Amino acid sequence: MSCARHLTMVTSFGGTCWRAAPPSEVRQVMQWQGVKPSQRGELWQQYQVMEIEALRILNEREAAAARKAK
């Protein structure tokens, strides 16, 4: 949850989309949260699974909103 605010929304002439958090920021959050270095690899993989799904949902919502607006 601490990394959710690091997702970025990008708006251009083609529309709006959400992008992944920069890995350096996720790593920093893990350090702040006290995650041991030996656990970071596994946690990173789990985080990526959640992030991919969150981005899929967010981007589907943006696309649906754009279709409604047309």
Side-chain angles (χ1 to χ4, degrees), residues 11-22:
T11 304
S12 68
F13 292 111
T16 301
C17 72
W18 287 88
R19 297 222 174 128

Side-chain angles (χ1 to χ4, degrees), residues 8-10 15-20 51-67:
T8 56
M9 180 187 279
V10 178
T16 301
C17 72
W18 287 88
R19 297 222 174 128
E51 183 181 61
I52 289 167
E53 185 63 13
L55 290 170
R56 183 188 67 77
I57 292 167
L58 289 168
N59 285 318
E60 282 178 1
R61 288 180 184 173
E62 291 295 330
R67 285 190 298 274

Side-chain angles (χ1 to χ4, degrees), residues 16-69:
T16 301
C17 72
W18 287 88
R19 297 222 174 128
S24 60
E25 292 183 21
V26 177
R27 184 176 52 242
Q28 185 66 51
V29 169
M30 282 194 242
Q31 290 173 347
W32 288 336
Q33 295 290 330
V35 176
K36 295 177 185 175
S38 62
Q39 297 173 323
R40 291 181 189 162
E42 182 180 349
L43 186 60
W44 172 251
Q45 291 174 352
Q46 294 170 359
Y47 170 77
Q48 284 185 307
V49 170
M50 291 187 301
E51 183 181 61
I52 289 167
E53 185 63 13
L55 290 170
R56 183 188 67 77
I57 292 167
L58 289 168
N59 285 318
E60 282 178 1
R61 288 180 184 173
E62 291 295 330
R67 285 190 298 274
K68 277 187 175 181

